[in-house]
Amino acid sequence: MRLANVSILVVDDEPDLRDVLMDEFAYRGARVVGVANGKSAFALLQVESFDIVFSDVRMPGGNGVELIRNIHNLVEKKPIVFLCSGYSDLDLGEAQKFGVIKIFHKPYDMTDIIDSFLQVLEKRAPCRKAKG
Amino acid sequence: MVPAAKHKDEEKRLKSLAALNILDSLPEKEFDQITQLASQICGTPIALVSLVDKDRQWFKAKTGTDASQTPREIAFCAHAILQDDVFVVEDATRDQRFIDNPLVTGEPHVQFYAGAPLFSPEGYPIGTVCVIDVMKKQLTAKQIEGLKILSHQVTQLLELKLQISKLKASEQKLAFKATASENITEGIVLQDCHGAIVDFNPAALLVLGLTADQLLGKTSTDPHWSSIREDGSDFPGIEHPAMICLNTGKKQIDVVMGIRTSTSGIRWIKINSVPLFMNQPSTLRPDYAVTSFADVTNLKKLESERRNLELQLSESARLSTLGEMASGIAHEINNPLAIIRGKISILKRKIDHRMFDINSAINDFQIIETTVDRIAKIIKGLRTYSRDADSDSFELTKALTIVEDTLALCNERFKIASIQLSVNCDSTIQLECKSAQISQVLMNLLNNSYDAVFALENKCITLTVKDDNNHVAFVITDSGSGIIKTNLNKIMQPFFTTKEVGKGTGLGLSIASGIAQAHGGSLTYDTAQKMTTFTLSLPKRQSQKTSVV
């Protein structure tokens, strides 16, 4: 239960992929919500707080790039943002300016993702230690 | 004095005189000698060859006088030309018509005149051979006869001179043509009605690579010739354009023939052969065939090089577009891979934890299978797109299959850009075509539409396939701004592009248009529609052999 007490918002327009991600995170104990695009994600973030936003980059109806920009401008309840991209040529530099921690490339390695989550969460709130 | 009346056909008479080009010409010995003979025969001091012009009589030749012309009204010859027989005035001083004629009352004091008319080739009396004496006289019948003969001789002389000058003129024309035929680079060969070569110009020897001895007398069916058609098949002598021309009497144009030269190469010539009928009506066999040919070996080489370049270019254009789509395609494949991996990981985990649920597992396997199919489709689309399909055969294909193959590659790209792509294609529509090429054309049109709407508010693209009786129409519309008027006639040209450097080669539409035409169809832009509309119209049937897919 490495992700116990962690809340994650999964943003991806591919239902099957969203399901897989949500299943994987939920299995490790996280509270997961999934939405299909950036607009819905941002709307939800106004009313609900999440520790992590895990978002795909390209989606119709507001893609990941817009979303991270909008999140960046949030003052309160700012989640940590991770991107997951099918593009092999997306580079971190630009995204980092808007607070993106890391970009994962599909097909991703789940262990890698979980490790990164924990690393950042640890840094942010050292007392929030979850069991591995 | 009574001047002579005008001849009844005076205008025509004057015309035929003028045509002889004799008036005011230099003296010539032949004519001078006639007057000498006339003077001798008739025993007169003066003899003339006189030509009666509009207002004068002019002397081509004279004996016994220096005068060169006199006014017509006082001319005795003007009377003489009004009759066929010799005109005789034995005593001018007693003749009412001439009694006060200045030539009688003054120099040269004419008292006797006899003139035999001479005629133009058309038969008009144009003047006389005449004899004049200063005392009255009578001529014997033989002398009159002699005078007549002499005038006849002059008539003949004049006609001959006319013929010679006409011949000289055509000689000049011929000389020019002969020089031309000697110097042009096209070969010309003259064959008789049996096909034997009877004449040729120097270029013929050069182009055929033969000596005069080798060429003269040969026929088109001579076994020495070894020639082939453009497709490499044998070109039998009896079918040579010259032989067909001789056998049918019809001219043969632009026949291409390959000749095997002694150095084991092929020389290509383009041949024209026309029939020559000498005296017969054109329903019978021609007497000769005139065959001209030009060496087009270089042209053919350039043509084939050009074809190769075209193919290379079209491949480059495809690959360049492929490059543009590459990132979209990578995404297209990575997503499904992530799904497959994820599902498998979840299934493994469930088996490990003995939480395996058959029904949800079956569902997951189904998803994996579908996702694999998805990837396979994209790869298939990629292969179709990047292949040079020019040498494919026409195959009966469903329009829907082509559309799906195309969309497999670009669907994702459109989704990402939030472009509304709606597709309408009945699954029963079929056509004979090179499906890979058609897919490439659709891809090209869709990509153009993508670029047109990418930055707009309203991003709409539609692809509709219509059954148009014996044609199938693929209609692609987009909500972009369309083609501006000044570019309308350029868009199908190679290398024309409105995109910035590095974005698009400008080859797409010209190649697409070429593919459409090679199918006997067309690619057109409809200026009347509100939405930018391109229509690819293709015939359902191809005349060449096709196979069923």
Side-chain angles (χ1 to χ4, degrees), chain A residues 11-28:
Chain A
V11 192
D12 196 312
D13 72 322
E14 279 255 29
D16 291 333
L17 192 51
R18 211 166 52 235
D19 283 347
V20 163
L21 287 167
M22 285 168 66
D23 190 300
E24 295 271 42
F25 295 150
Y27 168 66
R28 286 156 177 88

Side-chain angles (χ1 to χ4, degrees), chain B residues 63 88 177 338 422 431 487:
Chain B
T63 294
V88 182
K177 288 183 181 165
S422 46
L431 69 157
N487 288 340

Side-chain angles (χ1 to χ4, degrees), chain B residues 354-372:
Chain B
R354 291 173 213 274
M355 282 163 55
F356 191 73
D357 170 61
I358 286 260
N359 287 325
S360 83
I362 289 177
N363 194 38
D364 285 341
F365 284 127
Q366 187 57 60
I367 289 174
I368 291 173
E369 218 173 30
T370 311
T371 311
V372 168

Side-chain angles (χ1 to χ4, degrees), chain B residues 59-196:
Chain B
F59 307 134
K60 171 66 178 173
K62 47 197 175 268
T63 294
T65 175
D66 288 328
S68 50
Q69 62 183 51
T70 74
R72 186 176 175 162
E73 353 171 280
I74 58 176
F76 284 70
C77 297
H79 294 262
I81 61 172
L82 297 176
Q83 58 186 64
D84 285 340
D85 262 330
V86 177
F87 178 67
V88 182
V89 178
E90 291 180 353
D91 186 352
T93 58
R94 298 249 168 129
D95 195 316
Q96 282 307 312
R97 296 170 294 185
F98 303 108
I99 190 165
D100 51 355
N101 189 308
L103 297 172
V104 175
T105 57
E107 284 293 328
H109 301 290
V110 176
Q111 286 210 12
F112 170 81
Y113 171 94
L118 36 98
F119 300 90
S120 70
E122 297 93 341
Y124 293 105
I126 48 172
T128 69
V129 175
C130 60
V131 291
I132 290 169
D133 208 334
V134 295
M135 41 192 202
K136 55 183 191 262
K137 206 183 181 79
Q138 269 182 339
L139 288 181
T140 65
K142 278 223 158 81
Q143 284 169 317
I144 293 189
E145 185 68 31
L147 199 56
K148 243 184 160 169
I149 290 173
L150 285 175
S151 80
H152 196 67
Q153 285 302 301
V154 175
T155 301
Q156 298 286 56
L157 261 176
L158 289 173
E159 187 160 344
L160 274 170
K161 278 169 68 68
L162 188 64
Q163 296 288 33
I164 288 175
S165 78
K166 279 187 184 163
L167 272 172
K168 279 219 164 82
S170 43
E171 231 176 53
Q172 264 194 345
K173 275 195 192 156
L174 276 173
F176 159 69
K177 288 183 181 165
T179 311
S181 118
E182 288 298 295
N183 288 295
I184 57 177
T185 54
E186 272 205 357
I188 305 179
V189 162
L190 184 69
Q191 287 166 273
D192 66 18
C193 58
H194 303 296

Side-chain angles (χ1 to χ4, degrees), chain B residues 210-440:
Chain B
L210 296 171
T211 65
D213 291 329
Q214 289 172 321
L215 191 56
L216 195 60
K218 284 255 182 354
T219 65
S220 301
T221 46
D222 192 301
H224 270 96
W225 299 125
S226 175
S227 38
I228 56 174
R229 295 188 191 278
E230 281 186 281
D231 61 8
S233 64
D234 219 39
F235 207 143
I238 194 67
E239 291 173 29
H240 282 201
M243 294 314 290
I244 297 190
C245 178
L246 285 171
N247 289 329
T248 63
K250 294 205 170 17
K251 66 180 177 188
Q252 307 294 304
I253 303 286
D254 286 348
V255 178
V256 177
M257 180 188 299
I259 305 177
R260 292 208 177 86
T261 62
S262 49
T263 50
S264 74
I266 303 277
R267 187 170 300 163
W268 293 96
I269 56 176
K270 200 178 231 194
I271 306 171
N272 293 319
S273 191
V274 298
L276 198 53
F277 297 92
M278 299 303 273
N279 295 308
Q280 315 162 25
S282 43
T283 47
L284 299 180
R285 193 181 167 83
D287 296 290
Y288 295 94
V290 180
T291 309
S292 63
F293 46 92
D295 188 330
V296 296
T297 314
N298 273 341
L299 270 175
K300 266 203 153 277
K301 207 160 68 136
L302 282 173
E303 239 175 58
S304 97
E305 276 171 20
R306 204 200 81 204
R307 266 245 88 205
N308 284 340
L309 271 175
E310 267 182 9
L311 287 173
Q312 277 180 33
L313 266 177
S314 120
E315 172 145 341
S316 301
R318 253 181 296 112
L319 293 179
S320 140
T321 317
L322 205 54
E324 282 173 33
M325 303 189 301
S327 53
I329 293 169
H331 197 284
E332 284 269 14
I333 297 178
N334 284 332
N335 254 29
L337 284 178
I339 293 172
I340 294 170
R341 275 259 210 96
K343 286 292 182 192
I344 291 174
S345 153
I346 293 171
L347 280 164
K348 273 164 67 178
R349 185 224 305 157
K350 286 193 175 158
I351 290 174
D352 268 346
H353 289 54
R354 291 173 213 274
M355 282 163 55
F356 191 73
D357 170 61
I358 286 260
N359 287 325
S360 83
I362 289 177
N363 194 38
D364 285 341
F365 284 127
Q366 187 57 60
I367 289 174
I368 291 173
E369 218 173 30
T370 311
T371 311
V372 168
D373 282 344
R374 206 171 124 191
I375 297 177
K377 248 195 180 155
I378 292 160
I379 303 292
K380 179 169 179 255
L382 257 180
R383 280 200 64 237
T384 298
Y385 183 73
S386 53
R387 198 161 57 78
D388 172 15
D390 200 54
S391 41
D392 284 1
S393 51
F394 292 105
E395 292 180 344
L396 188 63
T397 323
K398 283 198 179 153
L400 185 57
T401 309
I402 299 175
V403 168
E404 284 176 347
D405 276 355
T406 312
L407 289 179
L409 267 193
C410 56
N411 222 345
E412 193 63 25
R413 204 174 168 231
F414 286 77
K415 222 170 28 142
I416 295 170
S418 306
I419 294 173
Q420 247 190 298
L421 172 60
S422 46
V423 178
N424 203 324
C425 178
D426 192 288
S427 60
T428 59
I429 302 178
Q430 295 184 95
L431 69 157
E432 288 172 3
C433 64
K434 299 182 184 179
S435 58
Q437 282 193 327
I438 304 306
S439 176
Q440 287 162 11

